[in-house]
Amino acid sequence: MSVSAVWHPFTQHATEPAPPVVTRTDGAWIETDRGRLLDGISSWWVVTHGHRQPQIMAAIREASEVLDQVIFAGLTHEPAEKLAEALVEMAPGGLAHVFYSDSGSTAVEVALKMALGYWRHAGDGRHRIAVMEHSYHGDTIGTMSVGERGVFNAAYDPLMFGVEKLPFPTGDGQATLDAFETLARSGQMAALILEPLVLGAGGMLMYAPEVLRGLREICDRHDVLLIADEVMTGWGRTGRLWACDHAGIAPDILCTSKGLTGGAVPLAATLASERIFRAHYSTDRTRTFFHSSSYTANPIACAAALANVALWQAEPMQQRLDKLAALQAERLARFEGDARFENLRQCGTITALDLRVGQGGYLAEDGPRMRAHFMAEGVLLRPLGNTVYLLPPYCVTGEDLDLAYAAIDSYGRI
Ligand SMILES: *Cc1c(COP(=O)(O)O)cnc(C)c1O
């Protein structure tokens, strides 16, 4: 088999067939040299409104007429300034400062560094990080350290730092809250990092807003910083702008990336509360926040994000999310009581269900077979182990979704 020069992500080149070549994207659809595919996973969770959303693409064109990358230390520009103001206004209360980077992983790395910097500058030796079982926060060494350990990162284990792990919340989540209360009481915990309400890569695992609120209360009682990784959940996925909005809570630090530009171009932001910014604000230059990405606050990406923000302000987004959630619920219901599937679940625009076969786990035999079947049916889906999920762009129609659910149904029959 001839192998291309490209080394693809999460791809076993020895066993996977050569991928289709994408020639065009449009709304919920991806055109390839082998036919059209419905993008059932928003191109790995980044595309929110739809591919090539017209206002966002226009903003990119316009911005590129006047600006490209400029150094962001010692210089600033209007797209970044305006976007920061808008993000502070739209984010849960108390998040007052915006630090730009270029991916979800960097947004999380920045968050962890801000948290540790905060405690150092506060003269407190806290440095332990609490995490939730089955979490995913990125693929860099630091973000892998705070994520679930397993086959993906076993080789890099010697490089990773230790963390305190909370059990994933089941039922009313009391066991998780109790475990965190005990940890938090130790006075050693610098921060708790979590994916609010939906653990994406961990298998679209969902927990109740009450648990999130309970964790926030424990953070407050014991002065532990809460880092909300909204990289996947932000920008409407859970049915509200932010997953934190369901619980009516604000984290001390919030990470956003994927949907920030509507999914058109890479950009990330880490939002921090005033006290975290103030801990770094000093005539003592050792307190500077020593971090930068080369492409920090890329003006074209900021312009795309501003167009995304404008859509959220001008369009009936909540109505659109509610409608998509209803379309999803109606279709997921066809699998109720179906012995082939279990754990049917939904959070806003996301649905998931587990195929009741095989040994489970990411390397489950069914994964690649399912993917191939869906592709043959014209639907792009990437099951996580035996978990099949739909996380579509918001422009998807009921008819489009019918195609995706029919493909899931027909897989269950072969
Ligand atoms: C995708 C994801 C990341 C990493 O984002 P990249 O842009 O791929 O680096 C971090 N956290 C969560 C919750 C994610 O879903």
Side-chain angles (χ1 to χ4, degrees):
M1 197 187 355
S2 79
V3 174
S4 111
V6 176
W7 195 339
H8 286 268
F10 272 76
T11 298
Q12 181 40 266
H13 285 274
T15 55
E16 292 186 34
V21 179
V22 176
T23 48
R24 197 181 171 83
T25 55
D26 191 9
W29 292 85
I30 298 171
E31 288 174 25
T32 81
D33 59 348
R34 296 179 216 164
R36 264 164 34 116
L37 287 171
L38 174 67
D39 192 348
I41 56 166
S42 297
S43 279
W44 252 347
W45 322 345
V46 300
V47 175
T48 48
H49 311 285
H51 283 279
R52 284 193 310 112
Q53 200 288 332
Q55 281 99 312
I56 294 175
M57 299 318 278
I60 290 171
R61 277 194 299 276
E62 281 164 32
S64 66
E65 293 293 328
V66 289
L67 282 170
D68 66 350
Q69 184 67 37
V70 283
I71 179 173
F72 203 57
L75 290 177
T76 193
H77 48 75
E78 192 177 275
E81 294 288 340
K82 277 196 173 163
L83 179 60
E85 276 169 34
L87 290 176
V88 164
E89 185 169 324
M90 295 170 93
L95 295 164
H97 298 274
V98 177
F99 192 95
Y100 291 111
S101 61
D102 41 36
S103 74
S105 298
T106 54
V108 171
E109 295 278 356
V110 163
L112 295 171
K113 286 174 71 172
M114 281 178 176
L116 271 279
Y118 170 81
W119 287 114
R120 183 183 178 88
H121 303 323
D124 190 312
R126 294 170 181 241
H127 61 274
R128 306 285 300 165
I129 306 288
V131 307
M132 195 180 273
E133 182 187 17
H134 304 309
S135 294
Y136 176 80
H137 296 291
D139 282 337
T140 56
I141 301 293
T143 59
M144 284 193 299
S145 297
V146 293
E148 187 68 22
R149 310 292 170 96
V151 63
F152 318 101
N153 48 39
Y156 328 115
D157 193 66
L159 300 183
M160 289 195 256
F161 57 80
V163 294
E164 303 291 345
K165 200 194 286 187
L166 307 178
F168 178 77
T170 52
D172 64 1
Q174 198 54 49
T176 306
L177 295 172
D178 290 346
F180 185 47
E181 179 87 46
T182 306
L183 273 177
R185 235 186 256 136
S186 72
Q188 299 285 307
M189 304 313 301
L192 166 65
I193 180 165
L194 50 74
E195 296 163 84
L197 304 197
V198 186
L199 277 58
M204 293 297 155
L205 304 174
M206 301 174 186
Y207 62 95
E210 291 71 30
V211 180
L212 180 56
R213 207 174 305 136
L215 291 168
R216 171 75 266 185
E217 283 164 14
I218 296 168
C219 285
D220 287 339
R221 265 204 300 287
H222 300 286
D223 209 13
V224 179
L225 299 174
L226 179 63
I227 303 171
D229 177 355
E230 292 249 16
V231 169
M232 186 280 277
T233 52
W235 302 101
R237 288 297 173 197
T238 68
R240 306 281 291 268
L241 176 55
W242 308 107
C244 285
D245 294 342
H246 290 274
I249 62 127
D252 301 278
I253 302 176
L254 182 148
C255 306
T256 177
S257 182
K258 290 181 173 130
L260 176 54
T261 62
V265 284
L267 183 67
T270 306
L271 279 66
S273 67
E274 191 63 36
R275 74 166 166 152
I276 290 167
F277 179 76
R278 286 287 150 188
H280 293 83
Y281 187 86
S282 169
T283 52
D284 174 359
R285 288 174 63 204
T286 65
R287 290 197 182 195
T288 305
F289 187 55
F290 293 113
H291 191 98
S292 175
S293 304
S294 299
Y295 285 101
T296 204
N298 179 270
I300 297 166
C302 288
L306 274 170
N308 172 46
V309 163
L311 289 171
W312 277 88
Q313 286 163 348
E315 306 255 323
M317 284 305 297
Q318 189 59 52
Q319 227 173 295
R320 203 168 290 167
L321 298 178
D322 292 346
K323 193 175 150 222
L324 175 52
L327 290 176
Q328 284 271 65
E330 278 164 33
R331 284 158 183 81
L332 182 65
R334 78 192 268 169
F335 296 113
E336 260 165 36
D338 187 323
R340 299 169 299 161
F341 298 99
E342 59 190 341
N343 303 326
L344 273 56
R345 53 199 184 275
Q346 177 171 11
C347 183
T349 72
I350 309 168
T351 55
L353 67 173
D354 302 338
L355 187 67
R356 212 199 282 264
V357 293
Q359 301 301 308
Y362 181 83
L363 300 182
E365 270 308 300
D366 276 89
R369 279 181 55 207
M370 275 196 271
R371 234 188 294 148
H373 169 78
F374 296 140
M375 181 110 43
E377 299 287 313
V379 184
L380 180 70
L381 292 176
R382 262 188 94 92
L384 296 155
N386 288 336
T387 297
V388 186
Y389 70 92
L390 264 134
L391 193 151
Y394 309 151
C395 65
V396 78
T397 66
E399 247 173 35
D400 294 340
L401 289 175
D402 285 338
L403 186 72
Y405 283 89
I408 296 170
D409 196 357
S410 62
Y411 181 79
R413 293 183 194 288
I414 60 174

